[in-house]
Amino acid sequence: MKDIFYEKNKITTLRVIFLVLFLACCILTVVSCKPTTEFEIVSAEGYLNDYYEYSDESECTITAEFNESVDEGSITVTFYDEDGNISDKQTKDFTSWDVNDKTVEITFSNVKGRPASYEVTDFTVEPPPSLVSILISEFIVWLILFIITVSPFAMSCEIYDFNGNAITVYSGWFSCYVKVNGITVDKKSSILRNFFFGRIFPMHLSTTLPDGVFLLVKINFFNGIKMWLNGCVYNKKYIKQK
């Protein structure tokens, strides 16, 4: 005889796997949305790339390292000449293309004069997206993920004991069937029922047992299973032997 509890074990395994995967996705999303307390520039370096004497302008690159990973924002840099006087002050936005984890590299063009030194005087960093904004922007993805996660909980299986016979009634994603001692005696496809509003109509499965008893099974909208033997409701469940 085949494993009588195969269907029940299958449903339990799918429920555990899908639930663990869903919780893992939730945890990763929450962790990725963890806001930083305060952004700070840990270090900064500046380079003079070119000086254009004919226009008395320079091109400089500023590399700034933050204490946390950043995505986009802006940096304001003040440039000084050899006498310590302000020669120029520029603010430039940066995007994820300018970022390597915590490090931002920005090139400032048309800087007046030939700067001898610089100072990062201000910066702004966009806060990380909140959990609510992510859920809203990816609503369809999370809805599909949620439906997939709860789908094993919509599957059902009952095992009855009648005169020493194990009667298994299973309602799954793609099929519903009745087994007697591991042998399928009636089976119907449940694809249309599950995916095209067929649940509004109960599914009926039936067979005649070897001793002449007529077995009827009805699976309702919520995949609830009820069995009749010769017109009488039967509820005695099969108990796994040790």
Side-chain angles (χ1 to χ4, degrees), residues 11-12 14-23 26 141-156 171-173 194-195 199 222-223:
I11 292 174
T12 301
L14 287 174
R15 288 175 178 176
V16 171
I17 292 175
F18 280 47
L19 185 59
V20 169
L21 291 176
F22 181 76
L23 291 176
C26 292
V141 175
W142 279 99
L143 179 61
I144 295 174
L145 183 61
F146 177 76
I147 292 174
I148 293 175
T149 302
V150 300
S151 59
F153 292 88
M155 302 167 68
S156 60
S171 177
W173 289 330
N194 288 331
F195 299 102
R199 282 177 177 266
F222 298 102
N223 266 1

Side-chain angles (χ1 to χ4, degrees), residues 166-183:
I167 302 173
T168 302
V169 182
Y170 172 78
S171 177
W173 289 330
F174 306 110
S175 63
C176 297
Y177 55 76
V178 176
K179 286 183 177 180
V180 178
N181 296 327
I183 300 174

Side-chain angles (χ1 to χ4, degrees), residues 203-227:
M203 177 173 284
H204 294 86
L205 300 169
S206 62
T207 188
T208 300
L209 300 178
D211 55 4
V213 175
F214 179 72
L215 180 152
L216 174 66
V217 170
K218 183 171 75 172
I219 303 173
N220 64 22
F221 181 88
F222 298 102
N223 266 1
I225 295 172
K226 185 172 288 188
M227 187 175 77

Side-chain angles (χ1 to χ4, degrees), residues 123-174:
F123 66 87
T124 59
V125 176
E126 291 294 328
S130 66
L131 180 60
V132 174
S133 64
I134 287 182
L135 292 178
I136 293 175
S137 62
E138 300 179 1
F139 173 76
I140 300 299
V141 175
W142 279 99
L143 179 61
I144 295 174
L145 183 61
F146 177 76
I147 292 174
I148 293 175
T149 302
V150 300
S151 59
F153 292 88
M155 302 167 68
S156 60
C157 178
E158 295 291 351
I159 304 176
Y160 300 90
D161 183 3
F162 177 69
N163 290 341
N165 296 310
I167 302 173
T168 302
V169 182
Y170 172 78
S171 177
W173 289 330
F174 306 110

Side-chain angles (χ1 to χ4, degrees), residues 27-35 128-129 134:
I27 292 173
L28 290 175
T29 301
V30 171
V31 170
S32 65
C33 295
K34 180 182 178 182
I134 287 182

Side-chain angles (χ1 to χ4, degrees), residues 7 17 22 28 40 48 71 74 85 89 144 150 164 166 168 178 188 200 203 210 213 238:
E7 286 82 3
I17 292 175
F22 181 76
L28 290 175
E40 297 178 356
L48 177 63
D71 186 41
S74 65
N85 299 317
K89 184 177 182 179
I144 295 174
V150 300
T168 302
V178 176
K188 292 181 180 179
I200 58 177
M203 177 173 284
V213 175
Y238 187 89

